[in-house]
Amino acid sequence: MPTADGMATGDLAAAGVTKPATVFLIIRRMEASLYAALAALRQRYRVLDFFASTEPLPAFLAAAAAAVASGAASPPRAAVVGGAGPARVDAAFLDAFPSVRCVISLAAGVDFIDLDECARRGVAVANSGRVYSADVADHAVGLLLQVLRRVSAADRFVRRGLWPASVQGGGEYPLGSKLGGKRVGVVGLGNIGSLIARRLQALGCVVSYNSRRARGDAVPYKYFPSVRDLAADSDVLVLACALTKDTRRCVNREVLDALGEGGVVVNISRGGNVDQAELVGALRDGRIAGAGLDVFESEPNVPPELCDMDNVVMTTHAGAFTKESMVDLGDLTIANLEAFFAGKPVLTPVQLPTQVKKVVVLP
Amino acid sequence: MPTADGMATGDLAAAGVTKPATVFLIIRRMEASLYAALAALRQRYRVLDFFASTEPLPAFLAAAAAAVASGAASPPRAAVVGGAGPARVDAAFLDAFPSVRCVISLAAGVDFIDLDECARRGVAVANSGRVYSADVADHAVGLLLQVLRRVSAADRFVRRGLWPASVQGGGEYPLGSKLGGKRVGVVGLGNIGSLIARRLQALGCVVSYNSRRARGDAVPYKYFPSVRDLAADSDVLVLACALTKDTRRCVNREVLDALGEGGVVVNISRGGNVDQAELVGALRDGRIAGAGLDVFESEPNVPPELCDMDNVVMTTHAGAFTKESMVDLGDLTIANLEAFFAGKPVLTPVQLPTQVKKVVVLP
């Protein structure tokens, strides 16, 4: 059972310094790398720490609520939440912990946070800002190069010892495809999408995009109002959009068919943006040429069929994770909490649908 | 046994057009991809075709010499030679076929052509010019991203079905390292090295270089006169130099130790530029952090120890090979042959050590 005392470890506590506030830390246990970057948070605040708990999340939250009700833990004022865990910051969570007035996502995406509910209750929401943007953009470029140039497949080929036999047998290793000149359609031109576009343009690609709104002359890329039309005019589709009700499965069968048999899909956003069964079918039937996937519909599970395909490269939702970005994330999270506890705006706020909801909830 | 008649197939022959000249085509048999791009060459010229022969190269050359001597084949005037095969255009070859007055390398490198001998005899030499440069540069960037971001290792991890167990077990997948900000030392600032430097600078790296001569203000990169000093000031060493007696094993133990335990080696040039045993030892002992290798000392053999390392990515000397580059290569080779047979300079000449040798051979 989490208690404030039980969590009051660390240098400040050892020095007799009173920790100023209690913070939820809800990260799934696998993300030890992420967590290590947040050691400073544990030193600075009382932490209701799901990561350190051995209970399932519902039991952990129930125990935390009981501890707060009994006075064993002080009410948590903020919640720091991992982006790929079981946690959902929704009405039920906010009802259970009305003392939480600030939610900080450790991810760029906030699809696990009910922004309408946060807006209605005046709860501030922050995300990871641009901490990950360059790393995710690099990962997208890396996945695309991998798929086009068949690097992972070649690496497996060499490791299996097939290269010498191939030479002796007069065999032929399939040719890759050139990056330069490829027409790349970027879906979502936010922080990450913009960096992907800039990188691929520097590498000789012709970039177009789809986004909620056209940027006009602010960007040198052609705008397509629909993902389907973007796909029809592209050799490569790179998904860099948030997962919302508007983008869910925005890459469906029609879009894949528009992309066509020479087409490549790269997804570093959220698995839910793609109709995964349709993607697997298109790859299996050769209706598209390949895919580089960092995200999946039901992580950590991937469609078994993909594991036998040489034109697919898969990674473990790792686009954001480098040693360097973890340090930056720790610094930003502390800075956001400090701003919030000082009564100032968070540094990397997520835009909330405040206006509409305020009208709705007025008596 | 190769004969001119036996090779006189193709559209032109079918149309009764007399082929103007005989050309050697010496490509090892595995390179079917390369060969397919040269179909036009077979149609246009009589071809003494090692690729189509089932004999070992020495037997093939002996039979070709006999065929020429007997008049069964007309003397070959040019030789088109693959860069990764058994062929060496040296004094013995040129003695056996003195009618060859032009040697065209299908590779950027010409380490299998004795340039001194060609210069002495007035034989023109051409290489593949810039046909491959962008693809090789892209491949270098891709290998670096792969090693830094652990993409191939992650792909294997996912394919082996280890991701779900890792999540359940609270396991931790090792973090990658950020590309941006890395100090990259490029060895060899020719066509390919320059494109690598430009790409990596656009991706946020700090580029320095070593080359036969400093470029001064012509390039925005810091020059190091020695590979060792370049390595000492770099996080990543990218080899993009030709293989010459000066560069052979230029990455030795001292250079690897100067690069240090956080360092990464990327080699898309020639395996001989690296002391491979020292590289394997440095990787094994953790004295450097990783390597991306498209080339090896004794291709197609790779050191078995590398096949168990997750911080190594290997490809099959494939940096140059894309569908697009093969088309460009076919076009360039025909254009070089047409220029030579028209008595004009080849389009992509290799600079020969003419001045020195002319002095030496003067009577």
Side-chain angles (χ1 to χ4, degrees), chain B residues 63-273:
Chain B
V68 170
S70 71
S74 57
R77 296 178 55 200
V80 176
V81 187
R88 286 197 61 76
V89 176
D90 51 15
F93 178 92
L94 295 169
D95 282 346
F97 300 97
S99 56
V100 169
R101 306 304 294 162
C102 173
V103 178
I104 300 180
S105 166
L106 296 175
V110 289
D111 45 291
F112 50 94
I113 300 173
D114 186 330
L115 299 184
D116 290 337
E117 280 297 329
C118 289
R120 198 169 69 79
R121 297 163 190 250
V123 172
V125 179
N127 70 355
S128 58
R130 300 184 183 213
V131 159
Y132 301 124
S133 303
D135 284 331
V136 177
D138 287 343
H139 198 61
V141 172
L143 286 175
L144 178 54
L145 273 168
Q146 292 253 75
V147 174
L148 289 178
R149 302 299 300 276
R150 307 182 63 88
V151 178
S152 273
D155 192 39
R156 282 195 298 278
F157 184 82
V158 172
R159 284 170 194 265
R160 286 174 188 157
L162 299 176
W163 193 8
S166 160
V167 172
Q168 284 155 19
E172 178 185 1
Y173 194 78
L175 286 171
S177 184
K178 197 190 208 70
L179 178 63
K182 286 283 180 297
R183 298 167 304 159
V184 178
V186 178
V187 180
L189 207 66
N191 291 339
I192 293 171
S194 298
L195 292 182
I196 293 171
R198 197 185 305 167
R199 281 159 169 69
L200 290 176
Q201 195 176 46
L203 291 166
C205 297
V206 180
V207 175
S208 303
Y209 74 107
N210 164 263
S211 195
R212 276 166 294 187
R213 55 188 174 81
R215 300 295 170 83
D217 293 340
V219 297
Y221 320 119
K222 184 176 177 187
Y223 175 72
F224 286 83
S226 88
V227 176
R228 192 223 154 267
D229 290 349
L230 180 68
D233 202 57
S234 297
D235 303 308
V236 177
L237 209 55
V238 180
L239 291 167
C241 54
L243 175 61
T244 69
K245 61 184 189 308
D246 296 326
T247 65
R248 186 173 295 278
R249 299 199 172 172
C250 67
V251 175
N252 53 25
R253 185 176 182 115
E254 187 191 5
V255 168
L256 292 168
D257 285 343
L259 187 61
E261 64 182 11
V264 172
V265 170
V266 172
N267 191 3
I268 48 75
S269 60
R270 288 287 183 271
N273 286 324

Side-chain angles (χ1 to χ4, degrees), chain A residues 188-247:
Chain A
L189 207 65
N191 291 339
I192 293 170
S194 298
L195 292 182
I196 293 171
R198 197 184 306 168
R199 280 159 170 69
L200 290 177
Q201 196 176 46
L203 290 166
C205 297
V206 181
V207 176
S208 303
Y209 73 108
N210 164 263
S211 195
R212 275 166 295 189
R213 56 189 174 77
R215 298 295 169 82
D217 293 340
V219 297
Y221 320 119
K222 184 176 177 188
Y223 175 72
F224 286 83
S226 88
V227 176
R228 193 223 152 266
D229 291 349
L230 179 68
D233 203 56
S234 297
D235 303 308
V236 177
L237 210 56
V238 180
L239 291 167
C241 55
L243 175 61
T244 68
K245 62 184 187 309
D246 296 326
T247 65

Side-chain angles (χ1 to χ4, degrees), chain A residues 135 146 149 151 159 312 319, chain B residues 135 146 149 151 159 312 319:
Chain A
D135 284 330
Q146 292 253 75
R149 302 300 301 276
V151 179
R159 284 169 194 266
V312 173
Chain B
D135 284 331
Q146 292 253 75
R149 302 299 300 276
V151 178
R159 284 170 194 265
V312 173

